């Protein structure tokens, strides 16, 4: 599935529960536990990335787990985008805990 000007973000990319061999794309020190597609959507909207949530999508490597995915505008490199999303989710979780 190739979408011009859009990137696919799976929650597994940011999840510390998974090793890089199963799909995590950011360093373990930046990764979070139990990332949900809704959190990625909220973080992407906070960053102004025009997100679109596909809640019933399954990560291709694990088709039995319907984790959902988020489509975002591509305005920066994907690795940098994923790091920013992880930082934003972390700050949103802190705010929710207070």
């Amino acid at each position: 599935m190739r979408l011009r000007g859009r990137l696919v973000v799976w929650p597994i990319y940011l999840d510390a529960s998974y090793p890089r061999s199963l799909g995590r794309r950011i360093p373990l020190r930046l990764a979070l536990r139990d990332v949900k597609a809704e959190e990625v959507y909220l973080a992407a909207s906070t960053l102004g990335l025009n997100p679109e949530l596909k809640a019933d999508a399954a990560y291709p490597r694990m088709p039995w787990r319907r984790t959902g995915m988020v489509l975002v505008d591509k305005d920066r490199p994907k690795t940098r985008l994923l790091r920013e999303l992880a930082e934003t989710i972390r700050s949103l979780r802190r705010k929710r805990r207070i």
Side-chain angles (χ1 to χ4, degrees):
M1 168 167 56
R2 184 165 292 252
L3 305 166
R4 295 204 183 272
R6 307 280 282 171
L7 292 173
V8 175
V9 178
W10 296 96
I12 290 173
Y13 289 172
L14 310 171
D15 201 326
S17 306
Y18 296 95
R20 284 190 181 259
S21 63
L22 288 180
R24 181 173 44 85
R25 305 249 332 232
I26 61 173
L28 194 56
R29 63 183 171 77
L30 297 176
L32 305 155
R33 293 256 178 219
D34 300 322
V35 179
K36 306 285 186 242
E38 294 79 18
E39 289 178 309
V40 176
Y41 177 82
L42 185 60
S45 62
T46 302
L47 292 173
L49 297 172
N50 190 23
E52 180 182 340
L53 179 65
K54 304 278 187 178
D56 61 339
Y59 185 57
R61 199 171 277 188
M62 297 177 205
W64 60 88
R65 291 197 63 219
R66 299 247 176 233
T67 59
M69 72 173 183
V70 179
L71 296 169
V72 297
D73 289 340
K74 181 179 180 174
D75 65 346
R76 59 196 87 164
K78 190 168 189 173
T79 305
R80 193 169 101 203
L81 173 85
L82 293 174
R83 288 172 181 246
E84 290 175 8
L85 284 171
E87 291 169 5
T88 305
I89 292 171
R90 183 171 281 117
S91 69
L92 290 172
R93 284 181 176 182
R94 277 192 208 121
K95 286 180 186 176
R96 199 175 345 142
R97 215 179 304 155
I98 294 175

